[in-house]
Amino acid sequence: MIIANHPMGFSRSGLPSHLEPWHSLWAPSGNGFEVDLTPDLKILHDAGYNVLTYDLRNLGHSGAANGGTASSGIYEARDVVGSLDYIRGRRDTRRMRIGLFSRCLGCSSTFAAMTQFPEAFAGVRCLVGPQPVTAKTILERRLAMIGLPDEIDRLEELIVLRTSIGFARRSPIDWAKNVNVPTFLYQVRGDVLTLPSDVRAMFDNIPVPRKKLQWIEGTTARWDGYLEFQRRPEPVLAWFATHFA
């Protein structure tokens, strides 16, 4: 069983950012094209895996929670654990070996879940984590693109007023210290919405001996990282096959 979740602002099926209102939000960063995640599921299914995919709280078909607050993984960690509980609670799936395919916010949420609920990951075989990102980093980059490079502190004040959660508490770099399964991260190296050092710091903090970091070259579009698996699935499928053996 592979449990797959999705990036921030997406649903389990992806994001139609070739259409409005999403296109205007993402085109300035070179990400004004569609991300369809459903081919990922077919690739996994054709490789012999059962797949559970779901919408994180406040997104897609999932209900609202915590007043609609996005917490960069703190609350969303409960969704990750909920997906594990669901598999383990069904008679027809409870004995299946489990791997995690956790993208972006889904990966940060997985790191947070391993920090808050480490016991939930007993027996999980491995994690593939495309493009986890620190909230402060991506927001700083987006502010710079709209001509407000010095407004990150003011933005944090507004976020705290809305959510009571500042940037220091939203730290997948710190949560990565509690990752407890073999982990494969990959990231667009030239992604204009983050910095290579962000993912590198997470990778370096992961304490398990079996880990891998892969860079995607030749693009600055973050969305290309989300499409990497369906374009070149072999490294991820090899990682799953090794750890399910």
Side-chain angles (χ1 to χ4, degrees):
M1 175 68 71
I2 304 297
I3 301 175
N5 58 26
H6 60 80
M8 178 64 195
F10 285 50
S11 73
R12 58 188 166 177
S13 62
L15 187 71
S17 39
H18 59 307
L19 303 174
E20 296 296 350
W22 305 279
H23 185 75
S24 294
L25 292 173
W26 294 110
S29 62
N31 293 293
F33 53 94
E34 182 180 20
V35 177
D36 180 0
L37 297 177
T38 55
D40 293 12
L41 310 180
K42 184 178 188 303
I43 292 168
L44 291 168
H45 180 269
D46 290 349
Y49 297 101
N50 295 281
V51 182
L52 171 67
T53 187
Y54 65 95
D55 295 325
L56 292 162
R57 59 186 58 210
N58 301 310
L59 295 165
H61 287 167
S62 286
N66 307 107
T69 296
S71 65
S72 307
I74 295 170
Y75 298 146
E76 294 85 355
R78 303 170 191 169
D79 303 331
V80 176
V81 174
S83 69
L84 289 166
D85 288 346
Y86 177 76
I87 293 300
R88 291 165 174 160
R90 284 178 59 118
R91 184 174 300 174
D92 57 345
T93 59
R94 66 179 55 168
R95 300 186 188 280
M96 289 183 179
R97 293 168 292 174
I98 298 173
L100 305 175
F101 190 29
S102 302
R103 310 173 184 94
C104 186
L105 172 62
C107 186
S108 300
S109 302
T110 300
F111 291 174
M114 290 176 173
T115 301
Q116 298 174 41
F117 312 103
E119 68 285 352
F121 295 87
V124 171
R125 295 302 184 96
C126 63
L127 164 66
V128 174
Q131 307 202 127
V133 66
T134 300
K136 183 177 182 181
T137 299
I138 195 168
L139 290 172
E140 281 182 319
R141 304 286 282 181
R142 293 195 70 189
L143 284 173
M145 287 179 182
I146 61 173
L148 299 171
D150 301 318
E151 293 297 324
I152 190 66
D153 291 339
R154 177 58 181 152
L155 177 59
E156 182 176 22
E157 291 175 5
L158 295 172
I159 290 172
V160 170
L161 285 172
R162 175 67 178 84
T163 70
S164 301
I165 305 172
F167 290 139
R169 289 179 57 199
R170 301 169 181 257
S171 178
I173 292 174
D174 290 339
W175 300 331
K177 297 173 184 177
N178 299 297
V179 171
N180 54 17
V181 302
T183 299
F184 175 15
L185 303 183
Y186 59 87
Q187 168 69 46
V188 170
R189 192 193 296 268
D191 178 5
V192 297
L193 292 176
T194 187
L195 299 168
S197 57
D198 190 43
V199 169
R200 183 80 221 189
M202 295 179 213
F203 179 77
D204 289 345
N205 275 352
I206 292 172
V208 301
R210 301 184 74 178
K211 61 181 180 178
K212 176 181 178 180
L213 174 59
Q214 176 178 301
W215 296 109
I216 302 164
E217 308 287 1
T219 180
T220 61
R222 184 171 182 81
W223 279 201
D224 282 324
Y226 300 143
L227 296 171
E228 175 70 10
F229 174 61
Q230 56 195 256
R231 292 169 174 168
R232 285 170 285 273
E234 293 81 9
V236 169
L237 292 179
W239 185 261
F240 282 136
T242 296
H243 292 93
F244 274 79

